[in-house]
Amino acid sequence: MFIKFFYTCKAKGLRITLSEWLTLQEALDKGLAGSSLTQFYYLARMILVKSETDFDKFDMAFDECFKAIRTENEVGEQMLRWLDKSDMQELAHEEARKWLNEGEDLQIDKQDVEEKFKQRLKDQDSEHNGGSYWIGTMGKTSFGNLGGNVGGVRVGGKTGYQSAFAVVGARKYKDFRDDRTLDNRQFQIAFRRLRQFSTKLDVPKTELDIQGTIDETCNNGGCLQIVMEKPRKNSVKLLLLFDSGGTMIPYSSLMNDLFQAVNKSNHFKDVKCYYFHNCIYSKLYKTPECENGDWVDTDWVFRNLDSDYKVIIVGDAAMAPEELYSDSGNYRGPNGGLSGWEWLQLMKRHYKKIVWLNPKMAPGHAPWREAETAIKDLLPMYKLTVEGLNQGMIKLMTNKA
């Protein structure tokens, strides 16, 4: 079972080293999880998972391997429904205060409470409230919620007794994953990586130089010496090329988020956006409708946007091989005597920094996606996820070709 768990975690994308797995085995040998599957869940997650972005992957692997296992202290859905008194919390808290004021100091035997709890789960077949024996609410029982007992096992309620599977089933970490597609906020955060500041501006020194001020003040015997500097501006110039229409229609909302994020990131020195359909040819369109005549020459872009522009191409690369390799493969406009493949080669030759972001990129070399596989060999391609976008931004900013 545990070997299967290891391989399932790896299959879900968790990066687990042999050392970490042996650490988990050692922790189990020392009894740190006891006989509780819930404690094992938290112990394994603590040792094996390095980032909250992987919590959901871990939960899915755990559910797949252990969902058939039931434990003595697993709380069923019927029990949780009996204990749901969310509409009576104010009254319940008032009753609980009365119980606590009248109660005596008790010595709680944790092992005894847990054994009784397991027995109550086996025996109880109905809802109970206000008593002191069964699992219920608003009483003095050691099991339940909204009652007046200072010790025991809390079941349900706001903080609730949760088995591992209650945590797993909630899927509350799915939005933390770094392999899901992005939203506007994540685009903005990623674009912050595209910062390359320059102070070579012919403008007055209007910003406080904090480090310079500290140094000069120290050199001046502690008397404040203000030092000003020229404002720094992001020197990055960005060219965005969006695939539009056809198989990209399902990603229209995602593309709009990306476009809006770029517009909000107004710290770039210059941003230019153009559109294409399936592949880049001799014309780049000014709008996502890709209407004939509403375009600029790709050669004009080469002449007017110098090689310092960082280029981000966004598309699914889902085209027939002839659309990529034939000099007549562009069925929506002119080819300019070259194939899409040759235009992409010119693009790579002209611009030093260029990446392709793909919203549905296949893993590795996919023979059934011939065009995508070919483009991967020509240009750095990343999946349009949180992790992929960050990798793409790093690639654009690195000094290496």
Side-chain angles (χ1 to χ4, degrees):
M1 175 63 73
F2 288 105
I3 295 299
K4 177 187 176 184
F5 182 48
F6 174 76
Y7 285 112
T8 304
C9 286
K10 298 281 281 186
K12 298 297 182 184
L14 287 172
R15 296 176 287 275
I16 301 173
T17 65
L18 181 59
S19 174
E20 291 163 345
W21 186 251
L22 292 176
T23 299
L24 176 60
Q25 302 305 308
E26 183 180 356
L28 293 174
D29 289 340
K30 292 181 177 179
L32 297 185
S35 59
S36 167
L37 191 62
T38 299
Q39 289 183 40
F40 169 70
Y41 165 83
Y42 285 109
L43 179 68
R45 195 179 75 174
M46 178 183 67
I47 294 173
L48 303 179
V49 180
K50 307 174 185 66
S51 167
E52 66 275 6
T53 60
D54 288 333
F55 279 175
D56 190 60
K57 300 172 189 175
F58 177 83
D59 284 357
M60 294 174 67
F62 188 92
D63 183 57
E64 185 173 321
C65 289
F66 300 109
K67 62 184 176 183
I69 297 177
R70 295 189 64 84
T71 60
E72 291 179 297
N73 59 351
E74 184 176 345
V75 180
E77 293 183 6
Q78 180 64 59
M79 176 70 72
L80 292 175
R81 280 195 294 270
W82 289 339
L83 295 169
D84 182 10
K85 296 293 184 293
S86 54
D87 57 337
M88 299 175 62
Q89 283 195 9
E90 188 174 341
L91 173 63
H93 285 307
E94 184 62 34
E95 291 296 317
R97 280 192 288 271
K98 291 179 182 179
W99 284 113
L100 290 169
N101 289 334
E102 297 171 3
E104 300 176 358
D105 290 335
L106 300 173
Q107 295 295 320
I108 304 300
D109 185 329
K110 182 175 182 292
Q111 185 174 355
D112 181 57
V113 169
E114 288 183 348
E115 288 301 320
K116 288 180 179 178
F117 176 60
K118 293 175 184 177
Q119 191 60 45
R120 300 294 190 279
L121 279 175
K122 291 179 181 178
D123 298 342
Q124 186 165 335
D125 59 4
S126 62
E127 179 177 349
H128 289 270
N129 302 290
S132 60
Y133 183 83
W134 295 108
I135 302 171
T137 63
M138 299 181 288
K140 294 183 69 176
T141 177
S142 297
F143 324 106
N145 67 80
L146 300 178
N149 197 310
V150 246
V153 179
R154 181 181 180 88
V155 188
K158 187 174 181 180
T159 56
Y161 182 91
Q162 291 189 317
S163 70
F165 293 107
V167 178
V168 168
R171 293 292 303 278
K172 62 181 180 180
Y173 295 108
K174 61 183 178 181
D175 289 338
F176 286 54
R177 295 179 63 139
D178 61 3
D179 59 348
R180 68 188 189 94
T181 52
L182 303 103
D183 56 27
N184 192 293
R185 175 62 178 163
Q186 291 161 330
F187 279 127
Q188 292 183 56
I189 292 173
F191 281 131
R192 289 178 185 172
R193 292 179 178 270
L194 287 179
R195 290 182 292 188
Q196 185 172 298
F197 292 113
S198 174
T199 56
K200 297 178 181 179
L201 302 173
D202 189 18
V203 295
K205 295 181 178 181
T206 57
E207 292 188 356
L208 177 66
D209 181 353
I210 296 177
Q211 190 58 51
T213 297
I214 293 173
D215 291 342
E216 287 301 316
T217 299
C218 292
N219 294 335
N220 200 28
C223 293
L224 182 62
Q225 182 69 43
I226 299 294
V227 177
M228 305 299 288
E229 64 179 351
K230 294 179 180 180
R232 299 195 310 160
K233 297 294 184 182
N234 192 347
S235 61
V236 168
K237 296 179 288 186
L238 187 62
L239 171 59
L240 281 170
L241 303 174
F242 293 99
D243 187 357
S244 182
T247 54
M248 285 296 292
I249 290 176
Y251 305 102
S252 298
S253 178
L254 184 64
M255 296 301 98
N256 182 63
D257 280 342
L258 194 156
F259 182 81
Q260 295 298 328
V262 171
N263 284 339
K264 291 178 181 178
S265 304
N266 55 8
H267 49 267
F268 293 115
K269 184 175 181 179
D270 188 34
V271 177
K272 292 289 189 291
C273 293
Y274 295 104
Y275 302 85
F276 63 92
H277 180 67
N278 285 351
C279 191
I280 294 170
Y281 300 106
S282 61
K283 306 289 184 181
L284 291 171
Y285 298 89
K286 297 179 182 179
T287 67
E289 289 74 22
C290 296
E291 295 181 353
N292 284 353
D294 192 16
W295 53 38
V296 297
D297 290 333
T298 306
D299 279 332
W300 179 92
V301 172
F302 291 158
R303 292 194 305 271
N304 289 274
L305 306 184
D306 59 49
S307 60
D308 288 337
Y309 275 78
K310 299 183 187 301
V311 181
I312 301 176
I313 303 174
V314 186
D316 61 5
M319 67 192 89
E322 58 270 18
E323 291 180 88
L324 181 64
Y325 295 120
S326 172
D327 60 10
S328 60
N330 181 13
Y331 64 88
R332 294 190 61 166
N335 278 71
L338 301 174
S339 66
W341 177 253
E342 289 170 310
W343 280 112
L344 290 177
Q345 288 178 314
L346 289 174
M347 186 73 63
K348 180 183 179 181
R349 194 176 308 155
H350 183 73
Y351 293 106
K352 300 174 184 176
K353 299 294 181 181
I354 180 170
V355 297
W356 187 300
L357 301 178
N358 190 332
K360 61 176 183 181
M361 184 176 76
H365 280 62
W368 63 93
R369 289 175 64 88
E370 182 179 338
E372 177 188 298
T373 299
I375 294 172
K376 280 180 185 175
D377 290 333
L378 180 66
L379 302 172
M381 183 181 289
Y382 304 93
K383 192 166 186 179
L384 195 52
T385 61
V386 179
E387 183 179 25
L389 181 59
N390 285 332
Q391 289 176 348
M393 298 306 101
I394 292 171
K395 180 68 176 179
L396 288 175
M397 294 306 296
T398 186
N399 291 325
K400 296 180 181 179

